Amino acid sequence: MNDEQPKPISASPTKGFFVDMLIRDIPLQQAVLDLIDNCVDGAKGLRQDDDFSGLRVDIEFSIDEFTIVDNCGGFSREVARDYAFRFGRDKKFTSTKHSIGQFGVGMKRALFKMGKQFVVESKTAKDHWAVEVDVDDWESKADDWTFPWSSPSDDRLQDRNEGTFIKVSSLREGTASTFETSVFSNRVIASIKSKHREFISNGLEVFVNGSRVDASDLRIYSTSQLKPVVEKFSVSEGGGSPVDIRIVVGIGDPIPRQAGWYVVCNGRVILDADRRPETGWGYVEENADRPNLPSFHNQYSRFRGIVYFDSDDASRVPWNTMKTDIDEDNIVWQKAFDRMVVLARHVLDFINQLDREIEDYGRDKSPMNKVLKSSSKTSVDNLTSPQAFKAPDRSSVATAPPLTNIQYARPDNDVEFLKQALGVRSARAVGEKSFDIILERQRG
Amino acid sequence: MSSYRKVNYSLRPAKHAHRRMMSEVLSCLYPFQPVREYQYVGFGSLWFEDFKLFHRALGIKRMISLERSGAHERFLANRPFQSVDILFGESNARLQEIDWKSPSILWLDYDAALSGSVLLDLEIAASQMSSGSLLAVTLNVEEAEEVKESASQGEDTDVALELFRSRFSDFFASKIFSDDLRNTPFRNLSFQIVTSKIEKILATRNVGKADVGEKLIVANICNFSYADGHSMATFVFLIFEEQHQEQYNDCRFEQLDFLGAVGDLVKVLMPVMTLKEIREVESQLPTDDVSSIKTDGVPESDIKKFAKIYRYLPNFAVLES
């Protein structure tokens, strides 16, 4: 037996393992969005009134490198040292109110995810600094968890007075080949469009490989006869700053992929067109005792539900660290969820009613469908005053005599023959036309 | 209803010319391997016109026809050669069962417009096809399915556009407008989507290939547009590894009569001429100067169309006088 006291077992992680765990689950597209989130937080710090006009973010990527440059205020050497480059959030750090990056991992995770070399350079009114990291080199120095300062250069930020420049090179192999495809760049543009919708509407300009991204606008029907439901309340359970919640549920165009729930946290869209049990769909079987929604079906392709969470304290709104999903255990989410399901019910009932009416009267003659067709749409962002859901009052719309549906099958060949003979395009039209003809003959 | 019940494939002259041009494209593939050793996979329908032509003209023996009709007996009875295999069922399912290890020619000759199912077929094939494989996709480009779909629900073109965007926006960068879902703009959009899809699939296959020479690239050889009742387009691609660039160059696609350069659009246009006029013009071809051809009043535009296409037209004969 050895007399010497054995050394204690070390459980400190190797840097390689740490980086690997950090970047494992984040999709590349999300990493790009994370970096934009940082710019948005900069913009929020710079413009308390949320008017972002004049601020812009330029993103370029190719098989060789990724760059993102903004003029959204930059951050100081102190913030870089004590916060921006540290893994995790120091409790002492006071962050921008209403921010969208609160976990202290976004930027680092994005940089490590993309490549093996990165430069971050930032300029504020008083400060100008740069950090340059070779990841392999950094990983090889086991106990040194610092990043080296380097000298700022004049050409990176060019004419931007206050802003941040980030470049990642020596891209990881999967990253490089993904950056090369047009599909990736289209997806990035599409997700910026939807996820940063509100910030772009407020004037922030985002360019991806030179082309400007415009915000996608979510519009639903809103008129005196057909009103979406809007409900507002505040949750202070769980301590800390209260969270303001606004739920809007209504009717849109019948586009299956746009139907579902949209979840917006502090202006950042977390889920779009969600139709999973997490947002209440298809809860019937397992949770018969709770209020619930049916499983999503294309019949509900007109359904649009939007729930906004806003809080000065970003850690209170119910998102996961990647901002790709909601945090189901969050009490704020649970409070909102119960209302979402109840409010959605009214709208789904209306959709079901509309469907039945179209069956009974035909698409062109259904009174409710007529109201819908003549209604105009409004952007959900403008629906801020509480109101109850209002469906067209059936007694007020002129009702045509109800129709009876006739359904029958006939041999393919014969239907084709009649299509030609009657000069119509669908089997349905063959049925209707032949009915009309026989009716006319018989009535004389 | 399957389109074979509506159209007799043997009787469409533009399609016939297009098929013969395709045969010439395929004949260029020999630098990769002897063309007769290629595997041909197509949608033979009841007529197997492409199968007959490629077997006769190019000597291809290994041939597979995908057929989704349930009338097995009739299709089997119409097989032109015993070496043609017919796989019955949906292409999405049956394409997965084909062995793509050796260079193949796949002609996805759809009647319909672009759909998710088309992209899935492309995904299955392009994620397995080997270097030197040719992939051709024929689509109806007259009108997007989404236009019909929204019209059948009483909705206008705005909804059609949104539907289309919600399905395919990954694959095009530009804004689209409602006229993008019809005719020439729709052909361009369909081409862009199909190309992006193939590039995306190859990018995924290329991940982890240490040797740059093994990276797969896709080249657009040419596109065809023709109309036999509907506006149709065929997009022709070649998939090969970077190390086979030289073989690709040796194919000399640009020297084909109907191509000015690789990537050209070939418009297969049928002139309106009588059999007598056809014989008269044909006897003065080929020529470098089409305007020197003498006829009794055939418009020059028709003569030009004819000069471009005459080698690929069927031999017309009149059986009844």
Side-chain angles (χ1 to χ4, degrees):
Chain A
M1 208 178 165
N2 200 331
D3 283 343
E4 271 179 64
Q5 187 70 22
K7 275 204 228 164
I9 301 164
S10 167
S12 67
T14 65
K15 283 177 173 173
F17 169 78
F18 178 77
V19 168
D20 209 43
M21 292 309 286
L22 190 64
I23 66 175
R24 179 160 296 249
D25 295 325
I26 186 167
L28 198 51
Q29 191 178 321
Q30 210 51 49
V32 176
L33 295 184
D34 265 337
L35 292 175
I36 302 173
D37 286 349
N38 275 347
C39 309
V40 170
D41 275 347
K44 286 186 171 195
L46 207 59
R47 306 274 178 85
Q48 314 291 343
D49 60 353
D50 277 2
D51 175 2
F52 298 147
S53 41
L55 300 181
R56 73 181 265 172
V57 181
D58 283 279
I59 299 162
E60 306 259 338
F61 47 83
S62 67
I63 196 163
D64 300 313
E65 59 179 43
F66 171 92
T67 57
I68 176 168
V69 198
D70 70 47
N71 61 352
C72 302
F75 49 104
S76 69
R77 224 175 257 266
E78 285 67 45
V79 173
R81 188 183 57 215
D82 299 338
Y83 162 61
F85 284 101
R86 291 195 63 175
F87 293 101
R89 163 71 50 104
D90 189 329
K91 287 256 185 294
K92 282 179 291 194
F93 184 80
T94 49
S95 62
T96 314
K97 276 193 175 173
H98 226 70
S99 75
I100 57 171
Q102 88 288 11
F103 296 97
V105 288
M107 181 179 81
K108 279 94 36 178
R109 178 163 59 189
L111 301 180
F112 283 122
K113 174 78 187 183
M114 289 178 189
K116 295 286 202 172
Q117 287 209 325
F118 58 84
V119 185
V120 179
E121 178 167 331
S122 194
K123 194 152 78 173
T124 65
K126 295 178 214 148
D127 218 350
H128 190 185
W129 56 269
V131 163
E132 211 163 338
V133 178
D134 178 317
V135 175
D136 286 335
D137 185 48
W138 180 78
E139 281 183 13
S140 71
K141 296 177 194 151
D143 296 321
D144 180 7
W145 284 76
T146 61
F147 290 131
W149 294 110
S150 91
S151 45
S153 95
D154 281 333
D155 52 333
R156 290 183 189 139
L157 279 158
Q158 291 171 355
D159 51 351
R160 291 170 181 82
N161 292 327
E162 298 173 285
T164 304
F165 166 96
I166 294 174
K167 179 170 97 173
V168 188
S169 48
S170 302
L171 299 180
R172 287 172 193 270
E173 192 183 33
T175 306
S177 57
T178 305
F179 278 171
E180 199 187 4
T181 62
S182 58
V183 169
F184 181 73
S185 112
N186 295 338
R187 278 190 189 156
V188 165
I189 291 171
S191 57
I192 295 171
K193 250 183 192 180
S194 69
K195 308 279 180 185
H196 293 104
R197 184 162 60 82
E198 198 170 308
F199 313 123
I200 296 174
S201 303
N202 288 346
L204 183 71
E205 290 187 288
V206 182
F207 290 79
V208 174
N209 291 331
S211 54
R212 191 192 143 112
V213 181
D214 48 0
S216 65
D217 197 12
L218 199 59
R219 298 172 74 80
I220 56 180
Y221 286 101
S222 174
T223 54
S224 55
Q225 291 199 74
L226 173 63
K227 284 185 183 166
V229 55
V230 182
E231 187 167 299
K232 287 166 89 165
F233 55 100
S234 180
V235 175
S236 46
E237 281 94 336
S241 315
V243 181
D244 294 328
I245 297 170
R246 176 163 60 104
I247 302 174
V248 180
V249 194
I251 305 284
D253 282 328
I255 315 276
R257 290 216 189 167
Q258 288 181 357
W261 280 105
Y262 294 70
V263 178
V264 187
C265 291
N266 276 0
R268 167 76 141 80
V269 177
I270 303 304
L271 293 178
D272 35 19
D274 193 87
R275 302 182 285 263
R276 301 169 304 156
E278 282 78 354
T279 51
W281 295 100
Y283 244 48
V284 181
E285 295 78 8
E286 297 123 55
N287 295 327
D289 53 333
R290 297 186 57 173
N292 53 49
L293 304 178
S295 290
F296 183 82
H297 180 272
N298 278 355
Q299 180 183 346
Y300 302 125
S301 61
R302 286 185 181 278
F303 178 89
R304 304 288 187 280
I306 306 94
V307 50
Y308 298 85
F309 296 92
D310 279 285
S311 176
D312 282 348
D313 180 357
S315 68
R316 294 269 292 142
V317 295
W319 50 22
N320 69 357
T321 73
M322 284 191 283
K323 294 167 219 152
T324 52
D325 207 342
I326 39 106
D327 171 11
E328 281 186 274
D329 299 327
N330 186 315
I331 180 77
V332 176
W333 171 257
Q334 290 167 1
K335 293 269 177 194
F337 181 87
D338 288 346
R339 291 307 298 158
M340 285 161 58
V341 171
V342 172
L343 298 179
R345 207 53 265 186
H346 298 300
V347 175
L348 292 181
D349 286 348
F350 169 71
I351 293 176
N352 286 334
Q353 238 181 15
L354 178 69
D355 242 40
R356 271 197 304 275
E357 231 201 46
I358 289 172
E359 284 265 296
D360 292 348
Y361 287 86
R363 197 165 293 281
D364 304 331
K365 299 198 177 99
S366 148
M368 281 205 274
N369 198 42
K370 270 189 185 162
V371 171
L372 200 60
K373 297 255 78 162
S374 62
S375 300
S376 58
K377 281 175 280 183
T378 233
S379 168
V380 290
D381 296 334
N382 301 332
L383 296 164
T384 52
S385 317
Q387 61 182 30
F389 181 68
K390 187 177 177 208
D393 181 0
R394 293 187 62 177
S395 60
S396 75
V397 285
T399 44
L403 305 179
T404 302
N405 246 325
I406 306 173
Q407 199 176 15
Y408 58 88
R410 282 293 177 274
D412 250 16
N413 281 336
D414 297 348
V415 176
E416 281 304 316
F417 173 79
L418 277 183
K419 258 196 218 173
Q420 300 285 335
L422 300 172
V424 294
R425 284 170 75 173
S426 68
R428 185 199 169 103
V430 168
E432 291 172 346
K433 189 98 186 181
S434 45
F435 182 93
D436 293 347
I437 291 171
I438 194 73
L439 185 69
E440 205 185 339
R441 288 173 74 93
Q442 293 296 321
R443 282 217 168 121
Chain B
M1 181 182 251
S2 293
S3 69
Y4 80 89
R5 306 273 309 269
K6 296 184 197 145
V7 192
N8 179 344
Y9 287 103
S10 329
L11 299 182
R12 301 189 299 179
K15 182 83 190 180
H16 181 100
H18 168 35
R19 209 181 290 119
R20 289 177 69 159
M21 289 171 170
M22 273 292 278
S23 177
E24 294 208 352
V25 171
L26 302 184
S27 72
C28 296
L29 290 170
Y30 64 88
F32 285 97
Q33 75 170 5
V35 180
R36 62 181 178 282
E37 285 169 24
Y38 267 84
Q39 157 176 275
Y40 177 72
V41 182
F43 299 161
S45 190
L46 268 187
W47 282 269
F48 295 96
E49 293 298 338
D50 44 344
F51 287 73
K52 286 185 221 162
L53 178 64
F54 300 156
H55 179 61
R56 288 192 182 132
L58 305 168
I60 295 175
K61 287 187 272 304
R62 260 194 309 154
M63 303 184 118
I64 299 172
S65 179
L66 301 173
E67 181 51 58
R68 73 170 186 209
S69 160
H72 295 198
E73 228 174 296
R74 186 163 178 211
F75 284 88
L76 288 167
N78 277 291
R79 277 191 315 174
F81 313 109
Q82 62 102 14
S83 69
V84 176
D85 266 337
I86 305 180
L87 296 182
F88 291 99
E90 290 298 325
S91 52
N92 288 170
R94 303 317 299 261
L95 278 169
Q96 307 195 29
E97 296 163 19
I98 294 170
D99 182 353
W100 299 102
K101 279 191 213 71
S102 65
S104 306
I105 296 156
L106 171 62
W107 187 352
L108 297 168
D109 192 358
Y110 305 103
D111 299 307
L114 190 69
S115 67
S117 171
V118 168
L119 295 187
L120 182 56
D121 281 351
L122 284 175
E123 169 113 38
I124 294 162
S127 64
Q128 297 181 71
M129 291 179 105
S130 58
S131 185
S133 290
L134 184 135
L135 175 54
V137 188
T138 300
L139 291 169
N140 183 324
V141 293
E142 190 154 297
E143 187 176 68
E145 283 301 322
E146 285 70 17
V147 176
K148 292 183 200 106
E149 208 176 316
S150 59
S152 78
Q153 289 192 39
E155 299 292 339
D156 53 21
T157 45
D158 281 1
V159 171
L161 265 177
E162 275 308 316
L163 263 180
F164 190 87
R165 267 191 219 116
S166 76
R167 285 173 186 162
F168 303 108
S169 65
D170 273 3
F171 303 105
F172 57 88
S174 46
K175 277 197 186 144
I176 55 167
F177 303 92
S178 49
D179 69 330
D180 279 317
L181 299 187
R182 282 173 216 276
N183 298 318
T184 306
F186 185 52
R187 183 184 70 217
N188 296 339
L189 186 60
S190 299
F191 174 66
Q192 198 185 346
I193 292 171
V194 167
T195 310
S196 300
K197 176 70 184 174
I198 297 172
E199 282 170 354
K200 166 79 174 67
I201 299 160
L202 297 188
T204 310
R205 286 180 74 179
N206 285 336
V207 172
K209 288 203 169 138
D211 183 356
V212 183
E214 285 175 13
K215 295 220 159 156
L216 289 156
I217 41 185
V218 60
N220 174 221
I221 306 302
C222 58
N223 297 325
F224 294 94
S225 88
Y226 64 95
D228 275 320
H230 293 284
S231 302
M232 304 294 292
T234 301
F235 312 128
V236 186
F237 302 92
L238 190 68
I239 294 170
F240 59 97
E241 291 175 358
E242 263 181 52
Q243 58 188 346
H244 297 144
Q245 181 72 42
E246 210 166 307
Q247 278 97 315
Y248 169 71
N249 297 343
D250 289 344
C251 292
R252 304 262 176 156
F253 293 109
E254 69 280 0
Q255 295 200 346
L256 288 167
D257 272 358
F258 49 85
L259 277 191
V262 167
D264 270 0
L265 173 70
V266 183
K267 290 185 181 168
V268 185
L269 300 170
M270 297 302 301
V272 181
M273 289 163 64
T274 66
L275 286 182
K276 210 173 164 193
E277 288 163 348
I278 284 176
R279 256 178 243 122
E280 186 185 8
V281 174
E282 207 167 33
S283 68
Q284 299 173 64
L285 286 170
T287 170
D288 292 333
D289 179 16
V290 178
S291 61
S292 70
I293 292 177
K294 292 187 192 66
T295 68
D296 300 312
V298 180
E300 194 169 319
S301 61
D302 276 342
I303 299 176
K304 277 188 179 151
K305 280 183 200 164
F306 183 77
K308 272 192 188 149
I309 204 178
Y310 76 101
R311 290 210 303 120
Y312 310 100
L313 287 178
N315 289 312
F316 294 103
V318 178
L319 294 180
E320 188 187 26
S321 57

